[in-house]
Amino acid sequence: MAKPWKRLLLGTLLVCGVASNSIADHTRRWRQSTYEEFLKGTAKGVAVRSDGHLELAPKFSPIADADASYLWSLRTDAAGVLYAGGGSPAKVFKFEGGGKPKTVFESTDLLAQCIAFDAKGTLYVGTSPDGKVYKVSASGEKSVFFEPKAKYIWDLAFAPDGTLYVATGDKGQIYAVSPDGKGDVYYSSDEAHIKTLALDGNGNLLAGTEPNGRVLQISKTMEAGKGKRAPEGQPSGFVVYETAKREVTSLVVGPDSSVYVSAIGDKAHGGSIGPSAVIQTQQGTTTITAAGAPGGAIAAPFVAFPQAISSSIYRISAEGVPEEIWTSRDEVVYALGLNSDGRLLAGTGNNGSLLVIDGRGVYAQLAKSGSAQITGISRSTGGKVYLCTANPGKVFSLGPEYESEGTFESQSFDAKLLSLWGRIEWWGPPATAGSGKAAKETKEPRLEIFVRSGNTEDPGKEWSQWYGPYSSTDAPIEAPAARFVQWKAVIHDGRPGDGIEWVGVSYQPKNVAPAIDGIALQDAGVRAFAPSVMPAPQGNVALKQPPAANPMTPGGVVITAATPPKFEVQPQGTLQRGYQTVLWSAHDDNDDDLKYAVYFREENQQNWLLLKDNLEQKFYSWDTASMPDGAYYLKILASDAPSNPPAMALTTERDSERFEVDNTNPAIAKIESSATGMNADRSQGVSYDFRFTATHPTSSIERAQYSVDGGDWVLLSPEKGINDYKSETYTFTVKRLMPGEHTIAVRAYDRFENVGSAKTTITVAK
């Protein structure tokens, strides 16, 4: 039950919101509805779909941890028993029953890169680098079945006739090996590596390559794509599709004969990313010779799992038409497979996610393995799907049954201020499981929502308990007022189409006082104005700006505020004698509308006097003619009253630095003059010396000038050499004054640009 002060607060806001349009609504809403937003939460038994939908996922269960850092290849034998190969060193594990996996193969090679079973159920293992193909009997005895003299063995595939195809690098060759272990080069490509193999429904061999990311179709009986028979014994290769990536990592043939392709690496970056094998061993980092461009080799380390690399999945229809159905700059696809329902599965790194992609291109994150990479996917004849991982090496099963219950915890949301929580809203499945009479009797909820709050960024034991379950969006949140909030969904009895489309939490931040970030007093004689109000220009002036406001805004989430961002007019400046201008910066963390008042006081007074109130702009200019000369201070007061009821409105204030008002002109004493240079020939003029003193009661004299007979003003230097006193004496000599009457004018300025002037007249005799 809401506390009385909360009910009173909400009621007051609702009443005021109806009474006046000028009262801003403080209610805000945090809403999550996109794939990217949901991925920031924690899902257990819940699939996160790319169209922003949460639903129950197929059951994802760990089977066992292998004694290996990496598992790379996964297969089931005819009896449905699971095997996985990896390293290092090279090992193959048998997963049978619920106990510890049994090692059925091991060697001194670095990695068991690939495994396969023939029609009789015999295990074959391909190792890398400097690999061999081993045959492992039912009793566990191993023997070298075939040695291709190639640097890498990347994949193995059995044809229906019992031929074993071996994909190799660094020469990009495929070997065909008969059941007696005799083999030869079956096909040589222009690529450095044949990375993966598959057989289509017509018995053609498909191959994925590196470094040009090609999908090849290789056939003995038909020249691919042209309908012409190839020469006997000479298989032809045809590029079905060249991807935009460097390396094809997996090929899967769908039930409709379409081919799914995963590829990684941008070609534009140049250079080989290296074969996808393991570099980290228990003994340290192993460096081997990796293939470079065709026709050459370079020394490079294995780069097993790129840290940042692009990835795409393509679908090539049975007619040969390609389309990109998924792409990412963050996730790398290492393995493809088919789910029991026919949808495409993708194992990714480097966060170990399992994706499912439907025919419409909508994908979902089904689960996270807890390992860095999902590297292999295999489906048994009974429809069970298995996955293997690396960093560390583990094995999981997927479905076909769905989880009976799943939970999803959202990321924590930072409201930045202590906030009162309102309602939680969502769009999801019906409230109860089943239908008809049984549903009414059990009243078991199919979707339950919980909420908790706290004042630390990471939820923990210092947060409140979970409040709920809420099965109706009409119920108010009971979690206490706090800065952070989090919601949790529990989905029961999932059905096709069930799930959550979006979740929203309404909240009201506690009203806080506005903040005045800074005050900038302008020089005397500068006037500011809005661009729409143009006074008579007397010279443009660049205004001094106050420190920028720094309002707190929640990050990483979408916020719906009650009002749109406010547009603020930036003032312009001009020179106008006698004017004083002040600019300030302010913000309000509630995004309230603000009004301002400007007060002033003389330096030796205590009381503040109102200069101007009800200001909406953050500047003010006024004529100081009515203010006595002296030192003053300003006070800026900001109020959020326009957006709050009177009882809830808050104010803040800030004093300016000291400034002076001076509208008194300097005074100039009588100008003294004397003739100093009498020439015998008066036609060459006479020199006169002049002397005067400029004084001001409060300000220092800034500069002085003189002019002869209305001519140009000439700058003077004071007798003591610097203008910094309230009284300054100036002397100057005017030469070559011709016979007749002359007017000598002088003027002096104080530092506020007040000016005092005087003149004298002399007559030079003929």
Side-chain angles (χ1 to χ4, degrees):
M1 181 176 180
K3 294 185 178 181
W5 72 267
K6 293 184 178 180
R7 294 199 301 270
L8 177 61
L9 175 61
L10 287 173
T12 303
L13 287 176
L14 290 173
V15 170
C16 292
V18 173
S20 172
N21 290 331
S22 66
I23 302 300
D25 184 5
H26 283 174
T27 301
R28 299 181 182 181
R29 290 168 180 83
W30 170 46
R31 176 168 167 151
Q32 290 188 298
S33 61
T34 68
Y35 179 71
E36 292 74 18
E37 291 167 345
F38 285 143
L39 279 185
K40 295 176 182 177
T42 302
K44 295 180 180 179
V46 171
V48 182
R49 288 192 347 197
S50 61
D51 57 356
H53 189 84
L54 299 176
E55 62 186 14
L56 283 178
K59 184 171 288 187
F60 187 75
S61 305
I63 295 178
D65 288 356
D67 184 21
S69 299
Y70 306 92
L71 295 179
W72 200 261
S73 183
L74 195 68
R75 294 288 186 273
T76 55
D77 63 13
V81 178
L82 183 65
Y83 293 76
S88 65
K91 289 184 180 181
V92 176
F93 303 93
K94 180 180 181 180
F95 299 85
E96 191 173 23
K100 185 178 180 179
K102 178 183 178 182
T103 301
V104 297
F105 168 86
E106 59 182 323
S107 74
T108 58
D109 297 286
L110 181 66
L111 179 70
Q113 176 71 37
C114 47
I115 59 178
F117 290 94
D118 64 12
K120 298 179 181 180
T122 303
L123 172 66
Y124 294 80
V125 182
T127 64
S128 283
D130 299 319
K132 306 175 183 65
V133 178
Y134 292 89
K135 182 177 181 179
V136 183
S137 67
S139 62
E141 295 180 359
K142 68 181 180 187
S143 59
V144 176
F145 177 68
F146 177 67
E147 189 171 359
K149 304 298 182 183
K151 195 66 181 177
Y152 309 105
I153 295 177
W154 293 120
D155 203 5
L156 302 175
F158 275 102
D161 62 1
T163 300
L164 175 63
Y165 293 110
V166 182
T168 70
D170 54 358
K171 295 182 180 179
Q173 295 176 327
I174 300 174
Y175 289 83
V177 186
S178 62
D180 60 3
K182 296 179 180 179
D184 205 348
V185 175
Y186 176 70
Y187 181 77
S188 290
S189 75
D190 295 332
E191 294 284 87
H193 300 272
I194 304 294
K195 296 304 302 292
T196 183
L197 298 174
L199 291 163
D200 66 14
N202 298 319
N204 297 313
L205 183 64
L206 300 176
T209 74
E210 191 265 339
N212 287 307
R214 294 170 179 169
V215 179
L216 303 176
Q217 180 181 299
I218 303 165
S219 173
K220 266 191 175 184
T221 59
M222 197 68 65
E223 190 174 353
K226 297 184 179 180
K228 298 179 181 179
R229 187 170 298 278
E232 189 66 28
Q234 298 181 15
S236 62
F238 179 73
V239 178
V240 177
Y241 182 57
E242 181 171 336
T243 72
K245 307 300 180 184
R246 290 187 54 85
E247 177 185 349
V248 174
T249 58
S250 186
L251 293 172
V252 169
V253 179
D256 60 353
S257 297
S258 59
V259 178
Y260 295 98
V261 183
S262 62
I264 65 175
D266 291 330
K267 294 179 182 179
H269 289 173
S272 175
I273 61 172
S276 297
V278 180
I279 64 170
Q280 198 69 31
T281 69
Q282 294 177 350
Q283 294 76 30
T285 301
T286 301
T287 302
I288 55 105
T289 302
I298 58 172
F302 274 140
V303 181
F305 308 109
Q307 294 300 311
I309 195 169
S310 62
S311 184
S312 293
I313 299 176
Y314 307 89
R315 178 183 179 272
I316 305 173
S317 69
E319 294 76 26
V321 179
E323 63 173 328
E324 185 180 66
I325 61 174
W326 180 91
T327 187
S328 175
R329 304 290 309 183
D330 302 316
E331 296 180 278
V332 181
V333 177
Y334 291 100
L336 297 177
L338 293 175
N339 198 11
S340 56
D341 58 9
R343 293 187 296 173
L344 182 68
L345 297 172
T348 73
N350 292 313
N351 60 5
S353 298
L354 177 64
L355 306 179
V356 63
I357 304 171
D358 66 18
R360 298 177 291 112
V362 176
Y363 58 92
Q365 179 179 282
L366 295 183
K368 284 190 175 182
S369 64
S371 298
Q373 296 88 17
I374 294 178
T375 52
I377 302 174
S378 179
R379 191 173 71 176
S380 68
T381 54
K384 196 78 170 179
V385 176
Y386 299 98
L387 304 96
C388 66
T389 70
N391 289 309
K394 298 181 181 181
V395 173
F396 298 84
S397 65
L398 179 72
E401 66 277 10
Y402 276 66
E403 298 281 2
S404 60
E405 177 181 295
T407 63
F408 178 87
E409 291 187 11
S410 74
Q411 66 178 129
S412 64
F413 167 69
D414 185 1
K416 294 296 182 183
L417 297 169
L418 182 71
S419 297
L420 179 66
W421 312 112
R423 290 191 302 133
I424 183 165
E425 301 176 280
W426 66 88
W427 182 257
T432 58
S435 59
K437 183 178 180 181
K440 295 179 181 179
E441 290 178 353
T442 62
K443 294 185 178 180
E444 295 177 355
R446 297 176 64 185
L447 175 63
E448 296 175 309
I449 300 292
F450 300 82
V451 179
R452 64 176 175 176
S453 61
N455 287 303
T456 59
E457 184 174 2
D458 296 324
K461 62 181 181 180
E462 290 82 10
W463 275 45
S464 75
Q465 67 184 48
W466 286 107
Y467 288 87
Y470 302 109
S471 56
S472 169
T473 59
D474 292 330
I477 294 174
E478 300 166 283
R483 174 173 168 173
F484 297 87
V485 72
Q486 183 187 31
W487 60 267
K488 176 175 70 174
V490 181
I491 305 175
H492 306 274
D493 187 28
R495 300 177 180 183
D498 280 358
I500 300 174
E501 298 288 343
W502 56 265
V503 177
V505 174
S506 60
Y507 67 100
Q508 179 176 287
K510 180 182 181 295
N511 189 35
V512 295
I516 298 174
D517 302 289
I519 298 175
L521 281 166
Q522 308 301 303
D523 293 335
V526 173
R527 181 180 180 184
F529 58 92
S532 59
V533 180
M534 296 292 291
Q538 298 183 32
N540 293 331
V541 176
L543 297 174
K544 300 176 184 177
Q545 297 298 320
N550 185 27
M552 293 186 294
T553 54
V557 293
V558 176
I559 296 294
T560 303
T563 57
K566 302 176 181 65
F567 174 77
E568 295 185 358
V569 176
Q570 297 301 314
Q572 298 180 7
T574 188
L575 294 174
Q576 192 160 348
R577 185 176 180 272
Y579 266 79
Q580 180 66 52
T581 295
V582 62
L583 275 65
W584 61 91
S585 57
H587 74 271
D588 186 277
D589 291 335
N590 300 109
D591 198 32
D592 287 342
D593 293 326
L594 301 179
K595 282 199 173 182
Y596 307 96
V598 181
Y599 293 83
F600 75 98
R601 69 173 177 85
E602 290 190 62
E603 187 173 34
N604 296 321
Q605 293 181 341
Q606 298 298 320
N607 296 329
W608 291 95
L609 303 176
L610 178 64
L611 185 62
K612 184 66 176 178
D613 62 358
N614 290 322
L615 289 170
E616 295 182 358
Q617 75 272 13
K618 298 176 184 177
F619 67 93
Y620 184 62
S621 293
W622 74 99
D623 189 347
T624 62
S626 61
M627 301 174 69
D629 290 358
Y632 290 85
Y633 293 90
L634 292 179
K635 178 171 68 176
I636 309 298
L637 184 143
S639 171
D640 61 9
S643 297
N644 289 279
M648 294 179 60
L650 297 174
T651 62
T652 192
E653 58 188 43
R654 183 166 180 168
D655 294 355
S656 75
E657 62 185 0
R658 180 180 182 272
F659 71 99
E660 295 180 40
V661 170
D662 180 0
N663 292 311
T664 301
N665 296 328
I668 297 178
K670 180 181 177 181
I671 303 173
E672 301 174 0
S673 63
S674 62
T676 58
M678 304 296 291
N679 297 314
D681 185 359
R682 294 297 183 95
S683 64
Q684 305 212 356
V686 178
S687 295
Y688 268 77
D689 289 338
F690 297 91
R691 188 174 189 271
F692 69 94
T693 299
T695 60
H696 193 281
T698 58
S699 298
S700 62
I701 302 301
E702 192 75 6
R703 67 185 185 276
Q705 300 168 313
Y706 77 90
S707 172
V708 179
D709 295 334
D712 294 337
W713 289 97
V714 179
L715 189 64
L716 292 171
S717 177
E719 287 185 342
K720 62 182 183 56
I722 183 172
N723 292 298
D724 61 350
Y725 279 84
K726 298 177 183 178
S727 178
E728 297 286 356
T729 299
Y730 301 88
T731 59
F732 61 97
T733 300
V734 180
K735 298 179 179 180
R736 296 186 179 182
L737 288 174
M738 303 306 293
E741 188 176 80
H742 298 279
T743 299
I744 309 300
V746 296
R747 64 185 182 185
Y749 291 84
D750 64 15
R751 61 189 182 89
F752 294 93
E753 290 300 299
N754 299 307
V755 59
S757 61
K759 66 179 180 179
T760 186
T761 301
I762 62 172
T763 301
V764 178
K766 293 183 180 180

